[in-house]
Coordinates of all heavy atoms in Angstrom, one line a residue:
M1 N 55.5 43.0 51.0 CA 56.8 43.5 51.3 C 57.7 43.6 50.2 O 57.8 42.8 49.3 CB 57.5 42.4 52.3 CG 59.0 42.5 52.6 SD 59.6 41.1 53.5 CE 59.7 39.8 52.3
T2 N 58.5 44.7 50.1 CA 59.6 44.9 49.1 C 60.8 45.2 49.9 O 60.9 46.1 50.7 CB 59.2 46.1 48.2 OG1 58.0 45.8 47.6 CG2 60.3 46.1 47.2
V3 N 61.8 44.4 49.7 CA 63.1 44.6 50.3 C 64.1 44.5 49.2 O 64.0 43.9 48.2 CB 63.5 43.6 51.4 CG1 62.4 43.7 52.6 CG2 63.5 42.1 50.9
G4 N 65.2 45.1 49.6 CA 66.3 45.1 48.5 C 67.6 44.8 49.2 O 67.9 45.0 50.4
S5 N 68.5 44.2 48.3 CA 69.9 44.0 48.9 C 70.9 44.2 47.6 O 70.9 43.4 46.8 CB 70.0 42.5 49.4 OG 69.7 41.6 48.3
G6 N 71.5 45.3 47.7 CA 72.3 45.6 46.6 C 71.5 45.9 45.4 O 70.7 46.8 45.3
S7 N 71.7 45.0 44.3 CA 70.8 45.2 43.1 C 69.8 44.3 42.9 O 69.3 43.9 41.9 CB 71.8 45.1 41.8 OG 72.3 43.8 41.8
C8 N 69.3 43.7 44.1 CA 68.3 42.7 44.1 C 67.0 43.2 44.8 O 67.2 43.5 45.9 CB 68.7 41.4 44.7 SG 67.5 40.1 44.9
D9 N 65.9 43.2 44.2 CA 64.7 43.6 44.8 C 63.9 42.3 45.1 O 63.9 41.5 44.3 CB 63.8 44.5 43.9 CG 64.4 45.8 43.8 OD1 65.2 46.3 44.8 OD2 64.2 46.5 42.8
V10 N 63.2 42.2 46.1 CA 62.3 41.1 46.5 C 60.8 41.5 46.6 O 60.7 42.4 47.4 CB 62.8 40.4 47.7 CG1 62.0 39.0 48.0 CG2 64.3 39.9 47.6
H11 N 60.0 41.0 46.0 CA 58.5 41.3 46.1 C 57.7 40.1 46.1 O 58.1 39.1 45.4 CB 58.2 42.2 44.9 CG 56.8 42.6 44.9 ND1 56.3 43.7 45.7 CD2 55.7 42.2 44.2 CE1 55.0 43.8 45.5 NE2 54.6 42.9 44.6
H12 N 56.8 39.9 46.9 CA 55.9 38.8 47.0 C 54.4 39.2 46.8 O 54.0 40.2 47.0 CB 56.1 38.0 48.4 CG 55.5 38.7 49.5 ND1 54.2 38.8 49.6 CD2 56.1 39.4 50.5 CE1 54.0 39.5 50.8 NE2 55.1 39.9 51.3
N13 N 53.8 38.1 46.3 CA 52.4 38.2 46.1 C 51.8 37.1 47.0 O 52.3 35.9 46.9 CB 51.9 38.0 44.8 CG 52.2 39.2 43.9 OD1 52.0 40.3 44.4 ND2 52.7 39.0 42.7
I14 N 50.8 37.4 47.9 CA 50.3 36.3 48.8 C 49.3 35.5 48.0 O 48.4 35.9 47.3 CB 49.5 37.0 49.9 CG1 50.5 37.8 50.8 CG2 48.9 36.0 50.8 CD1 49.9 38.7 51.9
K15 N 49.5 34.1 48.2 CA 48.7 33.1 47.7 C 47.7 32.7 48.7 O 48.2 32.0 49.7 CB 49.5 32.0 47.1 CG 48.7 30.9 46.5 CD 49.6 29.9 46.0 CE 48.9 28.6 45.4 NZ 49.8 27.5 45.1
P16 N 46.4 33.0 48.7 CA 45.6 32.6 49.8 C 45.5 31.1 50.1 O 45.5 30.4 49.2 CB 44.2 33.2 49.5 CG 44.3 33.5 48.0 CD 45.7 33.6 47.6
T17 N 45.4 30.8 51.4 CA 45.3 29.4 51.7 C 43.9 29.0 52.2 O 43.7 27.8 52.6 CB 46.3 28.9 52.8 OG1 46.3 29.8 53.9 CG2 47.7 29.1 52.2
T18 N 43.0 30.0 52.3 CA 41.7 29.7 52.9 C 40.7 30.0 51.7 O 40.9 31.0 51.0 CB 41.3 30.4 54.1 OG1 41.3 31.8 53.9 CG2 42.3 30.1 55.3
R19 N 39.5 29.4 51.7 CA 38.5 29.7 50.7 C 38.1 31.1 50.8 O 37.9 31.8 49.8 CB 37.4 28.7 50.8 CG 36.4 28.7 49.6 CD 35.4 27.6 49.8 NE 34.5 27.7 48.6 CZ 33.4 28.3 48.5 NH1 33.1 29.2 49.5 NH2 32.7 28.4 47.4
R20 N 37.8 31.5 52.0 CA 37.3 32.9 52.2 C 38.2 33.9 51.6 O 37.8 34.9 51.0 CB 37.0 33.2 53.7 CG 36.3 34.5 54.0 CD 35.9 34.6 55.4 NE 37.2 34.6 56.2 CZ 37.2 35.1 57.5 NH1 36.1 35.6 58.0 NH2 38.3 35.1 58.2
V21 N 39.5 33.8 52.0 CA 40.5 34.8 51.5 C 40.6 34.7 49.9 O 40.6 35.7 49.1 CB 41.8 34.6 52.1 CG1 42.8 35.5 51.4 CG2 41.8 34.9 53.6
A22 N 40.6 33.4 49.4 CA 40.6 33.2 48.0 C 39.5 33.8 47.3 O 39.6 34.5 46.2 CB 40.7 31.7 47.7
L23 N 38.3 33.7 47.8 CA 37.1 34.4 47.2 C 37.2 35.9 47.1 O 36.8 36.6 46.2 CB 35.8 33.9 47.9 CG 35.5 32.4 47.7 CD1 34.3 32.1 48.6 CD2 35.1 32.2 46.2
A24 N 37.8 36.5 48.2 CA 37.9 37.9 48.3 C 39.0 38.5 47.3 O 38.9 39.6 46.9 CB 38.4 38.3 49.8
Q25 N 39.9 37.6 46.8 CA 40.9 38.1 46.0 C 40.7 37.6 44.5 O 41.7 37.7 43.7 CB 42.2 37.6 46.4 CG 42.6 38.4 47.8 CD 44.0 38.1 48.2 OE1 44.7 37.3 47.6 NE2 44.4 38.8 49.2
T26 N 39.6 37.1 44.1 CA 39.5 36.5 42.8 C 39.6 37.5 41.7 O 40.0 37.1 40.6 CB 38.1 35.8 42.7 OG1 37.1 36.7 43.0 CG2 38.0 34.5 43.5
E27 N 39.3 38.8 42.0 CA 39.4 39.8 41.1 C 40.8 40.3 40.8 O 41.1 41.0 39.9 CB 38.6 41.0 41.4 CG 37.1 40.7 41.4 CD 36.2 41.8 41.7 OE1 36.8 42.9 41.8 OE2 35.0 41.5 42.1
R28 N 41.8 39.8 41.6 CA 43.1 40.3 41.6 C 44.0 39.3 40.9 O 45.1 38.9 41.5 CB 43.7 40.7 43.0 CG 43.0 41.7 43.7 CD 43.6 42.1 45.0 NE 45.0 42.5 44.7 CZ 45.9 42.5 45.7 NH1 45.7 42.1 46.9 NH2 47.2 42.9 45.3
S29 N 43.8 38.9 39.7 CA 44.5 37.9 39.0 C 45.6 38.4 38.2 O 46.5 37.6 37.8 CB 43.6 37.1 38.1 OG 43.1 37.9 37.1
V30 N 45.8 39.7 38.1 CA 46.8 40.4 37.4 C 48.0 40.6 38.3 O 47.8 41.2 39.3 CB 46.4 41.5 36.6 CG1 47.5 42.2 35.9 CG2 45.3 41.2 35.6
Q31 N 49.2 40.1 38.0 CA 50.4 40.5 38.7 C 50.7 42.0 38.6 O 50.7 42.5 37.5 CB 51.6 39.7 38.3 CG 51.4 38.2 38.5 CD 51.4 37.7 39.9 OE1 51.9 38.4 40.8 NE2 50.9 36.5 40.2
T32 N 51.0 42.6 39.8 CA 51.5 43.9 39.8 C 52.8 44.0 40.6 O 53.0 43.3 41.6 CB 50.4 45.0 40.4 OG1 50.2 44.5 41.7 CG2 49.1 45.0 39.6
F33 N 53.7 44.8 40.1 CA 55.0 45.0 40.8 C 55.4 46.4 41.0 O 54.9 47.3 40.3 CB 56.1 44.3 39.8 CG 55.8 42.8 39.5 CD1 55.2 42.5 38.4 CD2 56.1 41.9 40.5 CE1 55.0 41.2 38.0 CE2 55.8 40.6 40.3 CZ 55.3 40.2 39.0
P34 N 56.2 46.6 42.0 CA 56.5 48.1 42.4 C 57.3 48.8 41.4 O 57.5 50.0 41.4 CB 57.2 48.0 43.8 CG 57.8 46.5 43.7 CD 56.8 45.7 42.9
L35 N 58.2 48.0 40.5 CA 59.0 48.6 39.6 C 58.8 47.9 38.2 O 58.4 46.8 38.2 CB 60.5 48.5 40.0 CG 60.9 49.0 41.3 CD1 62.3 48.6 41.6 CD2 61.0 50.5 41.2
E36 N 59.0 48.7 37.1 CA 59.1 47.9 35.9 C 60.3 47.1 35.6 O 61.4 47.5 36.1 CB 58.9 49.0 34.8 CG 57.5 49.7 34.8 CD 57.3 50.6 33.5 OE1 57.9 50.3 32.5 OE2 56.6 51.6 33.7
G37 N 60.2 46.1 35.0 CA 61.3 45.3 34.7 C 61.0 43.8 34.3 O 59.8 43.5 34.4
A38 N 62.0 43.1 34.2 CA 61.8 41.6 33.9 C 61.9 40.8 35.2 O 62.9 40.3 35.6 CB 62.9 41.1 33.0
W39 N 60.8 40.8 35.9 CA 60.6 40.0 37.2 C 60.8 38.5 36.9 O 60.2 38.0 35.9 CB 59.3 40.4 37.8 CG 59.3 41.7 38.4 CD1 59.0 42.9 37.8 CD2 59.7 42.2 39.7 NE1 59.1 44.0 38.6 CE2 59.5 43.5 39.8 CE3 60.0 41.4 40.8 CZ2 59.8 44.3 41.0 CZ3 60.3 42.2 42.0 CH2 60.1 43.6 42.0
R40 N 61.4 37.8 37.9 CA 61.5 36.4 37.7 C 61.0 35.7 38.9 O 61.3 36.1 40.0 CB 63.1 36.0 37.4 CG 63.3 34.6 37.3 CD 64.7 34.3 37.1 NE 65.7 34.8 38.1 CZ 66.1 34.1 39.1 NH1 65.8 32.9 39.3 NH2 66.9 34.6 40.0
C41 N 60.1 34.7 38.7 CA 59.6 34.0 39.7 C 60.7 33.1 40.4 O 61.4 32.3 39.8 CB 58.4 33.1 39.2 SG 57.6 32.3 40.6
C42 N 60.7 33.2 41.8 CA 61.7 32.3 42.5 C 61.0 31.2 43.2 O 61.7 30.5 44.0 CB 62.4 33.2 43.6 SG 63.3 34.6 42.8
G43 N 59.7 31.0 43.0 CA 59.0 29.9 43.5 C 58.2 30.2 44.7 O 58.2 31.5 45.2
D44 N 57.6 29.2 45.3 CA 56.7 29.4 46.5 C 57.4 29.0 47.7 O 58.2 28.1 47.8 CB 55.5 28.6 46.4 CG 54.5 29.0 45.2 OD1 54.7 30.2 44.8 OD2 53.6 28.2 44.8
I45 N 57.1 29.7 48.9 CA 57.5 29.3 50.2 C 56.3 29.1 51.0 O 55.3 29.8 50.7 CB 58.6 30.4 50.8 CG1 57.8 31.7 50.9 CG2 59.8 30.4 50.0 CD1 58.6 32.6 51.9
E46 N 56.4 28.3 52.0 CA 55.3 28.1 52.9 C 55.8 28.4 54.3 O 56.9 28.1 54.8 CB 54.8 26.7 52.8 CG 54.2 26.3 51.5 CD 53.6 24.9 51.4 OE1 53.4 24.3 52.5 OE2 53.3 24.5 50.4
H47 N 54.9 29.0 55.1 CA 55.1 29.3 56.4 C 53.9 29.1 57.3 O 52.8 29.4 56.8 CB 55.6 30.8 56.7 CG 56.1 31.2 58.1 ND1 57.3 30.8 58.4 CD2 55.4 31.8 59.0 CE1 57.4 31.2 59.7 NE2 56.3 31.9 60.0
V48 N 54.0 28.4 58.4 CA 52.8 28.1 59.3 C 52.8 29.0 60.5 O 53.9 29.0 61.3 CB 52.9 26.6 59.6 CG1 51.7 26.3 60.5 CG2 52.9 25.7 58.3
F49 N 51.8 29.7 60.7 CA 51.6 30.5 61.8 C 50.7 29.7 62.8 O 50.4 28.5 62.5 CB 50.9 31.8 61.6 CG 51.7 32.8 60.8 CD1 51.5 32.8 59.3 CD2 52.6 33.7 61.3 CE1 52.3 33.7 58.6 CE2 53.3 34.6 60.6 CZ 53.2 34.5 59.2
T50 N 50.5 30.2 64.0 CA 49.7 29.4 65.0 C 48.3 28.9 64.5 O 48.0 27.8 64.7 CB 49.5 30.3 66.2 OG1 50.8 30.8 66.7 CG2 48.8 29.5 67.3
H51 N 47.6 29.8 63.8 CA 46.3 29.5 63.3 C 46.1 29.3 61.8 O 44.9 29.1 61.4 CB 45.4 30.5 63.9 CG 45.1 30.5 65.3 ND1 46.2 31.0 66.2 CD2 44.3 30.0 66.2 CE1 45.8 30.8 67.4 NE2 44.6 30.3 67.4
F52 N 47.0 29.5 61.0 CA 47.0 29.4 59.6 C 48.2 29.1 58.8 O 49.3 29.5 59.4 CB 46.2 30.6 59.0 CG 47.1 31.8 59.1 CD1 47.7 32.3 58.0 CD2 47.0 32.6 60.2 CE1 48.4 33.5 58.0 CE2 47.6 33.8 60.3 CZ 48.4 34.2 59.2
A53 N 48.2 28.6 57.7 CA 49.4 28.4 56.8 C 49.3 29.5 55.8 O 48.3 29.9 55.3 CB 49.3 27.1 56.2
L54 N 50.6 29.9 55.4 CA 50.6 31.0 54.3 C 51.6 30.5 53.3 O 52.6 30.0 53.6 CB 51.2 32.3 55.0 CG 51.4 33.5 54.1 CD1 50.1 34.0 53.6 CD2 52.2 34.5 54.9
T55 N 51.2 30.6 52.1 CA 52.0 30.3 50.8 C 52.2 31.6 50.1 O 51.3 32.3 49.7 CB 51.4 29.3 49.9 OG1 51.0 28.2 50.7 CG2 52.2 29.0 48.8
L56 N 53.5 31.9 49.8 CA 54.0 33.1 49.2 C 54.6 32.7 47.9 O 55.4 31.9 47.9 CB 54.9 34.0 50.0 CG 54.5 34.5 51.4 CD1 55.6 35.2 52.1 CD2 53.4 35.4 51.3
T57 N 54.4 33.5 46.9 CA 55.2 33.4 45.6 C 56.2 34.5 45.6 O 55.7 35.7 45.8 CB 54.2 33.4 44.4 OG1 53.3 32.4 44.5 CG2 55.1 33.3 43.0
V58 N 57.4 34.2 45.5 CA 58.5 35.2 45.6 C 59.0 35.5 44.2 O 59.2 34.6 43.4 CB 59.7 34.7 46.4 CG1 60.8 35.6 46.5 CG2 59.3 34.3 47.8
W59 N 59.1 36.8 43.9 CA 59.5 37.3 42.6 C 60.7 38.1 42.8 O 60.9 38.8 43.8 CB 58.4 38.2 42.0 CG 57.1 37.4 41.5 CD1 56.1 37.1 42.4 CD2 56.9 36.9 40.3 NE1 55.2 36.3 41.7 CE2 55.7 36.3 40.5 CE3 57.5 36.9 39.1 CZ2 55.0 35.5 39.3 CZ3 57.0 36.3 38.0 CH2 55.7 35.6 38.0
K60 N 61.6 38.2 41.8 CA 62.9 38.9 41.9 C 63.1 39.8 40.7 O 62.8 39.4 39.6 CB 64.0 37.8 42.0 CG 65.4 38.3 42.0 CD 66.3 37.1 42.2 CE 67.8 37.5 42.1 NZ 68.7 36.3 42.4
L61 N 63.7 40.8 40.9 CA 64.2 41.8 39.8 C 65.5 42.2 40.1 O 65.8 42.8 41.2 CB 63.2 43.0 39.7 CG 63.6 44.1 38.9 CD1 63.5 43.7 37.4 CD2 62.8 45.4 39.1
N62 N 66.4 42.0 39.2 CA 67.7 42.6 39.3 C 67.8 44.0 38.6 O 67.5 44.1 37.4 CB 68.8 41.7 38.6 CG 69.0 40.4 39.3 OD1 69.0 40.4 40.5 ND2 69.2 39.3 38.6
A63 N 67.9 45.0 39.4 CA 67.8 46.3 38.8 C 69.2 47.2 39.0 O 69.9 46.8 40.0 CB 66.7 47.1 39.7
N64 N 69.4 47.9 38.1 CA 70.6 48.8 38.1 C 70.5 50.2 38.8 O 71.4 50.8 39.2 CB 71.2 49.0 36.7 CG 71.6 47.7 36.0 OD1 72.2 46.9 36.7 ND2 71.4 47.6 34.8
A65 N 69.2 50.4 39.0 CA 68.8 51.8 39.6 C 69.0 51.7 41.2 O 68.9 50.7 41.7 CB 67.4 52.2 39.3
A66 N 69.3 52.8 41.7 CA 69.4 52.9 43.1 C 68.0 52.7 43.8 O 67.0 53.1 43.2 CB 70.0 54.3 43.6
P67 N 67.9 52.2 45.0 CA 66.7 52.0 45.5 C 66.0 53.3 46.0 O 66.6 54.3 46.2 CB 66.9 51.2 46.9 CG 68.4 51.4 47.1 CD 69.0 51.7 45.8
S68 N 64.6 53.4 46.0 CA 63.9 54.5 46.4 C 63.9 54.6 47.9 O 64.5 53.9 48.6 CB 62.5 54.4 46.0 OG 61.8 53.4 46.6
N69 N 63.4 55.6 48.4 CA 63.2 55.8 49.9 C 62.2 55.0 50.5 O 62.0 55.1 51.7 CB 63.2 57.4 50.2 CG 64.5 58.1 50.0 OD1 65.5 57.5 50.0 ND2 64.3 59.3 49.6
N70 N 61.4 54.3 49.7 CA 60.2 53.6 50.2 C 60.7 52.2 50.7 O 61.6 51.7 50.0 CB 59.2 53.4 49.1 CG 58.6 54.7 48.7 OD1 58.5 55.6 49.6 ND2 58.2 54.8 47.4
G71 N 60.1 51.7 51.7 CA 60.5 50.3 52.1 C 61.7 50.3 53.0 O 62.3 51.3 53.5
W72 N 62.2 49.1 53.2 CA 63.4 48.8 54.0 C 64.5 48.3 53.0 O 64.2 47.3 52.3 CB 63.1 47.8 55.0 CG 64.3 47.2 55.7 CD1 64.9 47.7 56.8 CD2 64.8 45.9 55.5 NE1 66.0 46.9 57.1 CE2 65.9 45.7 56.3 CE3 64.7 44.9 54.5 CZ2 66.8 44.6 56.3 CZ3 65.5 43.8 54.5 CH2 66.6 43.7 55.3
W73 N 65.7 48.8 53.2 CA 66.8 48.4 52.3 C 68.0 48.0 53.1 O 68.3 48.7 54.2 CB 67.1 49.5 51.3 CG 66.0 49.9 50.4 CD1 65.1 50.8 50.6 CD2 65.6 49.3 49.2 NE1 64.2 50.8 49.6 CE2 64.5 49.9 48.7 CE3 66.3 48.2 48.5 CZ2 64.0 49.6 47.5 CZ3 65.7 47.9 47.2 CH2 64.5 48.5 46.8
A74 N 68.7 47.0 52.7 CA 70.0 46.6 53.3 C 70.9 46.0 52.2 O 70.4 45.3 51.3 CB 69.7 45.6 54.4
K75 N 72.2 46.1 52.5 CA 73.1 45.5 51.5 C 73.1 43.9 51.8 O 72.9 43.5 52.9 CB 74.5 46.1 51.6 CG 74.6 47.5 51.4 CD 76.0 48.0 51.6 CE 76.1 49.4 51.2 NZ 77.5 50.1 51.5
K76 N 73.3 43.2 50.7 CA 73.3 41.8 50.9 C 74.2 41.3 51.9 O 74.0 40.4 52.7 CB 73.7 41.2 49.6 CG 73.6 39.6 49.5 CD 73.9 39.2 48.1 CE 73.8 37.7 48.0 NZ 74.1 37.1 46.6
S77 N 75.5 41.9 52.0 CA 76.5 41.7 53.0 C 76.1 41.9 54.4 O 76.7 41.4 55.4 CB 77.8 42.4 52.6 OG 77.6 43.8 52.7
E78 N 75.1 42.7 54.6 CA 74.7 43.1 56.0 C 73.4 42.3 56.5 O 72.9 42.5 57.6 CB 74.2 44.6 56.0 CG 75.5 45.5 55.8 CD 75.2 47.0 55.6 OE1 73.9 47.2 55.5 OE2 76.1 47.8 55.6
L79 N 72.8 41.5 55.6 CA 71.5 40.7 55.9 C 71.7 39.8 57.1 O 70.7 39.7 57.9 CB 71.0 40.0 54.8 CG 70.5 40.9 53.5 CD1 70.1 40.0 52.3 CD2 69.3 41.6 54.1
D80 N 72.8 39.2 57.3 CA 73.1 38.3 58.4 C 72.9 39.0 59.8 O 72.5 38.4 60.7 CB 74.3 37.5 58.3 CG 74.3 36.4 57.2 OD1 73.2 36.0 56.8 OD2 75.3 36.0 56.8
G81 N 73.2 40.3 59.8 CA 73.1 41.0 61.0 C 71.8 41.7 61.3 O 71.6 42.2 62.4
E82 N 70.8 41.5 60.4 CA 69.5 42.1 60.5 C 68.7 41.1 61.4 O 68.7 39.9 61.2 CB 68.9 42.3 59.2 CG 69.6 43.3 58.4 CD 69.5 44.7 58.9 OE1 68.5 45.1 59.7 OE2 70.4 45.6 58.5
A83 N 67.8 41.6 62.3 CA 66.9 40.9 63.1 C 65.6 40.8 62.4 O 64.7 41.6 62.5 CB 66.7 41.7 64.4
L84 N 65.6 39.8 61.6 CA 64.4 39.5 60.7 C 63.5 38.3 61.2 O 64.1 37.4 61.6 CB 64.8 39.1 59.3 CG 65.7 40.3 58.6 CD1 66.2 39.8 57.2 CD2 64.8 41.5 58.4
P85 N 62.2 38.4 61.0 CA 61.4 37.3 61.3 C 61.7 36.1 60.4 O 62.2 36.3 59.2 CB 60.0 37.8 61.1 CG 60.1 39.3 61.0 CD 61.4 39.6 60.6
T86 N 61.3 34.9 60.9 CA 61.6 33.7 60.1 C 61.0 33.8 58.7 O 61.6 33.4 57.7 CB 61.1 32.5 60.9 OG1 61.7 32.5 62.1 CG2 61.3 31.2 60.2
L87 N 59.7 34.4 58.6 CA 59.2 34.5 57.3 C 59.9 35.3 56.4 O 60.1 34.8 55.2 CB 57.7 35.0 57.4 CG 56.9 35.2 56.2 CD1 56.7 33.9 55.3 CD2 55.6 35.9 56.4
F88 N 60.5 36.4 56.8 CA 61.3 37.2 55.9 C 62.6 36.5 55.5 O 63.0 36.7 54.4 CB 61.6 38.6 56.7 CG 60.5 39.5 56.8 CD1 59.2 39.2 56.9 CD2 60.7 40.9 56.9 CE1 58.2 40.1 57.0 CE2 59.7 41.8 57.1 CZ 58.4 41.4 57.1
K89 N 63.2 35.8 56.4 CA 64.4 35.0 56.1 C 64.1 33.9 55.0 O 64.9 33.8 54.1 CB 64.9 34.3 57.4 CG 65.5 35.3 58.4 CD 66.1 34.6 59.7 CE 66.5 35.5 60.7 NZ 67.0 34.9 61.8
K90 N 62.9 33.3 55.0 CA 62.5 32.4 54.0 C 62.5 33.2 52.7 O 62.8 32.6 51.6 CB 61.2 31.7 54.3 CG 61.3 30.7 55.5 CD 60.0 30.0 55.7 CE 60.1 29.1 57.0 NZ 58.7 28.4 57.1
V91 N 61.8 34.2 52.6 CA 61.6 35.0 51.4 C 63.0 35.4 50.8 O 63.2 35.2 49.6 CB 60.7 36.4 51.6 CG1 60.7 37.2 50.4 CG2 59.3 36.0 52.0
L92 N 63.8 35.9 51.7 CA 65.2 36.3 51.1 C 66.0 35.1 50.7 O 66.7 35.1 49.7 CB 66.0 36.9 52.3 CG 65.5 38.4 52.7 CD1 66.2 39.0 53.8 CD2 65.8 39.2 51.4
S93 N 65.9 33.9 51.4 CA 66.6 32.7 51.0 C 66.0 32.4 49.6 O 66.9 31.9 48.7 CB 66.3 31.6 51.9 OG 66.9 30.4 51.5
A94 N 64.8 32.4 49.3 CA 64.3 32.0 48.0 C 64.7 33.0 46.9 O 65.2 32.7 45.8 CB 62.7 31.9 48.0
A95 N 64.8 34.3 47.2 CA 65.1 35.3 46.2 C 66.6 35.3 45.9 O 67.1 35.6 44.8 CB 64.7 36.7 46.7
L96 N 67.4 34.9 46.9 CA 68.9 35.1 46.8 C 69.6 33.7 46.4 O 70.8 33.7 46.1 CB 69.5 35.6 48.1 CG 69.1 36.9 48.5 CD1 69.7 37.4 49.8 CD2 69.4 38.0 47.4
S97 N 68.7 32.7 46.2 CA 69.3 31.5 45.8 C 69.2 31.2 44.3 O 68.7 31.9 43.6 CB 68.6 30.2 46.4 OG 67.2 30.2 46.1

């Protein structure tokens, strides 16, 4: 997921919580980001679904460029009015704090 609010982009990398998923992703140890810049780690968040737990590492980039047409974009001032899933709200909370 990449979302933006004003000059803040949020991008996450999924940290697998099961051995099977972890084994499938062992070759993906290099971080990749959708834009070049000085990305800053905002920490990990945890979310529990019905059948599994998910841990995400949230990364943040403050950018001066206008957002592309890819993804979903909203102004920071409009985020409270968006109907977002709880997981997305956790990601935004970590990125904007």
Side-chain angles (χ1 to χ4, degrees):
M1 169 182 77
T2 302
V3 297
S5 57
S7 64
C8 173
D9 292 328
V10 181
H11 179 75
H12 70 74
N13 289 318
I14 297 175
K15 179 180 175 183
T17 56
T18 66
R19 187 173 187 276
R20 183 172 66 158
V21 174
L23 291 174
Q25 293 188 352
T26 55
E27 296 179 15
R28 295 186 60 200
S29 61
V30 176
Q31 297 290 342
T32 58
F33 300 102
L35 301 171
E36 289 188 30
W39 288 85
R40 183 172 57 92
C41 182
C42 299
D44 292 345
I45 61 166
E46 294 186 15
H47 187 76
V48 178
F49 293 93
T50 306
H51 293 76
F52 66 96
L54 176 69
T55 301
L56 303 177
T57 300
V58 179
W59 293 83
K60 175 180 180 175
L61 170 68
N62 290 323
N64 294 323
S68 69
N69 290 330
N70 296 327
W72 167 82
W73 298 92
K75 294 180 180 179
K76 187 176 179 180
S77 61
E78 298 172 351
L79 288 175
D80 288 339
E82 296 290 339
L84 299 174
T86 302
L87 176 59
F88 287 28
K89 290 178 183 178
K90 288 180 181 181
V91 170
L92 287 171
S93 177
L96 299 175
S97 62

